[in-house]
Short mmCIF file of all heavy atoms in Angstrom, two decimals:
data_model
loop_
_atom_site.label_atom_id
_atom_site.label_comp_id
_atom_site.label_asym_id
_atom_site.label_seq_id
_atom_site.Cartn_x
_atom_site.Cartn_y
_atom_site.Cartn_z
N SER A 1 13.21 5.37 -12.17
CA SER A 1 11.87 4.88 -11.90
C SER A 1 11.90 3.63 -11.04
O SER A 1 12.88 2.87 -11.04
CB SER A 1 11.14 4.55 -13.21
OG SER A 1 11.04 5.68 -14.05
N LEU A 2 10.84 3.43 -10.31
CA LEU A 2 10.63 2.23 -9.51
C LEU A 2 9.16 1.87 -9.53
O LEU A 2 8.31 2.75 -9.66
CB LEU A 2 11.07 2.43 -8.06
CG LEU A 2 12.54 2.33 -7.68
CD1 LEU A 2 12.71 2.63 -6.20
CD2 LEU A 2 13.09 0.94 -8.00
N ARG A 3 8.88 0.59 -9.39
CA ARG A 3 7.52 0.13 -9.22
C ARG A 3 7.40 -0.60 -7.90
O ARG A 3 8.08 -1.60 -7.67
CB ARG A 3 7.10 -0.82 -10.36
CG ARG A 3 5.62 -1.20 -10.29
CD ARG A 3 5.27 -2.37 -11.18
NE ARG A 3 5.78 -3.64 -10.67
CZ ARG A 3 5.47 -4.82 -11.17
NH1 ARG A 3 4.67 -4.91 -12.22
NH2 ARG A 3 5.98 -5.92 -10.65
N LEU A 4 6.54 -0.09 -7.05
CA LEU A 4 6.25 -0.73 -5.79
C LEU A 4 5.02 -1.60 -5.93
O LEU A 4 4.06 -1.23 -6.61
CB LEU A 4 6.03 0.30 -4.68
CG LEU A 4 7.15 1.31 -4.42
CD1 LEU A 4 6.79 2.18 -3.23
CD2 LEU A 4 8.47 0.61 -4.20
N SER A 5 5.05 -2.75 -5.28
CA SER A 5 3.91 -3.65 -5.28
C SER A 5 3.48 -3.92 -3.85
O SER A 5 4.30 -3.95 -2.94
CB SER A 5 4.26 -4.98 -5.97
OG SER A 5 4.64 -4.79 -7.31
N CYS A 6 2.20 -4.12 -3.67
CA CYS A 6 1.66 -4.46 -2.36
C CYS A 6 0.60 -5.53 -2.56
O CYS A 6 -0.45 -5.27 -3.16
CB CYS A 6 1.06 -3.23 -1.69
SG CYS A 6 0.18 -3.59 -0.15
N ALA A 7 0.88 -6.71 -2.06
CA ALA A 7 -0.02 -7.84 -2.21
C ALA A 7 -0.69 -8.18 -0.89
O ALA A 7 -0.01 -8.35 0.13
CB ALA A 7 0.73 -9.05 -2.75
N ALA A 8 -2.00 -8.28 -0.92
CA ALA A 8 -2.75 -8.71 0.24
C ALA A 8 -2.88 -10.23 0.21
O ALA A 8 -3.10 -10.82 -0.84
CB ALA A 8 -4.13 -8.06 0.26
N SER A 9 -2.74 -10.84 1.35
CA SER A 9 -2.84 -12.29 1.43
C SER A 9 -3.56 -12.71 2.70
O SER A 9 -3.70 -11.92 3.63
CB SER A 9 -1.46 -12.94 1.37
OG SER A 9 -0.66 -12.55 2.48
N GLY A 10 -3.99 -13.95 2.73
CA GLY A 10 -4.71 -14.48 3.87
C GLY A 10 -6.17 -14.71 3.56
O GLY A 10 -6.57 -14.82 2.41
N SER A 11 -6.96 -14.78 4.60
CA SER A 11 -8.39 -15.06 4.46
C SER A 11 -9.15 -13.77 4.14
O SER A 11 -9.84 -13.21 5.00
CB SER A 11 -8.92 -15.71 5.74
OG SER A 11 -8.22 -16.90 6.03
N ILE A 12 -9.01 -13.31 2.91
CA ILE A 12 -9.60 -12.05 2.47
C ILE A 12 -10.96 -12.28 1.86
O ILE A 12 -11.11 -13.09 0.94
CB ILE A 12 -8.69 -11.34 1.46
CG1 ILE A 12 -7.32 -11.07 2.07
CG2 ILE A 12 -9.34 -10.03 1.00
CD1 ILE A 12 -6.30 -10.61 1.06
N PHE A 13 -11.94 -11.55 2.34
CA PHE A 13 -13.27 -11.59 1.75
C PHE A 13 -13.41 -10.52 0.68
O PHE A 13 -13.92 -10.78 -0.41
CB PHE A 13 -14.35 -11.42 2.82
CG PHE A 13 -15.74 -11.44 2.27
CD1 PHE A 13 -16.38 -12.64 1.99
CD2 PHE A 13 -16.43 -10.26 2.03
CE1 PHE A 13 -17.66 -12.68 1.47
CE2 PHE A 13 -17.72 -10.28 1.51
CZ PHE A 13 -18.33 -11.50 1.24
N SER A 14 -12.94 -9.32 1.00
CA SER A 14 -13.06 -8.22 0.06
C SER A 14 -12.07 -7.12 0.43
O SER A 14 -11.69 -6.98 1.58
CB SER A 14 -14.48 -7.67 0.04
OG SER A 14 -14.64 -6.66 -0.94
N ILE A 15 -11.66 -6.35 -0.57
CA ILE A 15 -10.79 -5.21 -0.38
C ILE A 15 -11.47 -3.96 -0.91
O ILE A 15 -11.98 -3.96 -2.03
CB ILE A 15 -9.43 -5.39 -1.10
CG1 ILE A 15 -8.74 -6.66 -0.63
CG2 ILE A 15 -8.54 -4.17 -0.87
CD1 ILE A 15 -7.45 -6.95 -1.36
N ASN A 16 -11.49 -2.93 -0.11
CA ASN A 16 -12.09 -1.67 -0.53
C ASN A 16 -10.98 -0.71 -0.98
O ASN A 16 -10.35 -0.95 -1.99
CB ASN A 16 -12.92 -1.08 0.61
CG ASN A 16 -13.95 -0.09 0.12
OD1 ASN A 16 -13.65 0.79 -0.70
ND2 ASN A 16 -15.18 -0.21 0.61
N ASP A 17 -10.74 0.34 -0.23
CA ASP A 17 -9.74 1.31 -0.60
C ASP A 17 -8.33 0.77 -0.40
O ASP A 17 -8.07 -0.01 0.50
CB ASP A 17 -9.89 2.59 0.22
CG ASP A 17 -11.27 3.20 0.08
OD1 ASP A 17 -12.20 2.71 0.76
OD2 ASP A 17 -11.41 4.17 -0.67
N MET A 18 -7.41 1.23 -1.24
CA MET A 18 -6.00 0.93 -1.09
C MET A 18 -5.22 2.23 -1.29
O MET A 18 -5.66 3.11 -2.03
CB MET A 18 -5.53 -0.13 -2.08
CG MET A 18 -6.32 -1.43 -2.02
SD MET A 18 -5.63 -2.76 -3.04
CE MET A 18 -4.37 -3.39 -1.91
N ALA A 19 -4.08 2.33 -0.65
CA ALA A 19 -3.32 3.57 -0.72
C ALA A 19 -1.85 3.34 -0.42
O ALA A 19 -1.47 2.30 0.13
CB ALA A 19 -3.90 4.61 0.25
N TRP A 20 -1.05 4.32 -0.78
CA TRP A 20 0.36 4.34 -0.45
C TRP A 20 0.66 5.59 0.38
O TRP A 20 0.24 6.69 0.01
CB TRP A 20 1.24 4.35 -1.70
CG TRP A 20 1.26 3.05 -2.42
CD1 TRP A 20 0.47 2.66 -3.45
CD2 TRP A 20 2.13 1.95 -2.16
NE1 TRP A 20 0.78 1.39 -3.87
CE2 TRP A 20 1.81 0.93 -3.08
CE3 TRP A 20 3.17 1.73 -1.24
CZ2 TRP A 20 2.48 -0.30 -3.11
CZ3 TRP A 20 3.82 0.51 -1.27
CH2 TRP A 20 3.47 -0.48 -2.20
N TYR A 21 1.35 5.40 1.47
CA TYR A 21 1.84 6.48 2.31
C TYR A 21 3.35 6.43 2.32
O TYR A 21 3.96 5.43 1.95
CB TYR A 21 1.32 6.34 3.74
CG TYR A 21 -0.16 6.63 3.93
CD1 TYR A 21 -1.12 5.73 3.49
CD2 TYR A 21 -0.57 7.79 4.57
CE1 TYR A 21 -2.47 5.99 3.67
CE2 TYR A 21 -1.92 8.05 4.76
CZ TYR A 21 -2.86 7.15 4.32
OH TYR A 21 -4.20 7.41 4.51
N ARG A 22 3.97 7.52 2.78
CA ARG A 22 5.41 7.51 2.94
C ARG A 22 5.80 8.37 4.14
O ARG A 22 5.07 9.27 4.53
CB ARG A 22 6.13 8.01 1.68
CG ARG A 22 5.96 9.50 1.39
CD ARG A 22 6.61 9.85 0.07
NE ARG A 22 6.50 11.27 -0.24
CZ ARG A 22 6.87 11.81 -1.39
NH1 ARG A 22 7.39 11.04 -2.36
NH2 ARG A 22 6.73 13.12 -1.60
N GLN A 23 6.94 8.06 4.70
CA GLN A 23 7.46 8.80 5.83
C GLN A 23 8.96 8.99 5.66
O GLN A 23 9.71 8.02 5.64
CB GLN A 23 7.16 8.10 7.15
CG GLN A 23 7.53 8.91 8.38
CD GLN A 23 6.94 8.34 9.65
OE1 GLN A 23 6.58 7.16 9.71
NE2 GLN A 23 6.83 9.16 10.67
N ALA A 24 9.36 10.24 5.53
CA ALA A 24 10.77 10.58 5.41
C ALA A 24 11.34 10.83 6.81
O ALA A 24 10.59 11.13 7.75
CB ALA A 24 10.94 11.82 4.54
N PRO A 25 12.66 10.74 6.96
CA PRO A 25 13.27 10.98 8.27
C PRO A 25 12.91 12.34 8.84
O PRO A 25 13.02 13.35 8.15
CB PRO A 25 14.77 10.88 7.97
CG PRO A 25 14.85 9.98 6.79
CD PRO A 25 13.64 10.34 5.96
N GLY A 26 12.44 12.36 10.08
CA GLY A 26 12.10 13.60 10.74
C GLY A 26 10.79 14.23 10.30
O GLY A 26 10.48 15.35 10.72
N LYS A 27 10.03 13.54 9.48
CA LYS A 27 8.77 14.08 8.99
C LYS A 27 7.61 13.16 9.32
O LYS A 27 7.80 11.98 9.63
CB LYS A 27 8.83 14.32 7.48
CG LYS A 27 9.85 15.36 7.05
CD LYS A 27 9.78 15.62 5.56
CE LYS A 27 10.76 16.69 5.13
NZ LYS A 27 10.68 16.95 3.67
#
């Protein structure tokens, strides 16, 4: 198992949708 984290930073007013994508070699 692994847990990935994604933190938004900077001058953020609001966040709507969030998602995870991936790309394997050659795909």
Side-chain angles (χ1 to χ4, degrees):
S1 301
L2 279 177
R3 186 194 73 171
L4 304 184
S5 299
C6 173
S9 62
S11 302
I12 302 169
F13 179 81
S14 184
I15 303 176
N16 201 313
D17 303 80
M18 304 188 83
W20 288 93
Y21 288 73
R22 70 184 181 187
Q23 187 167 21
K27 296 184 178 181

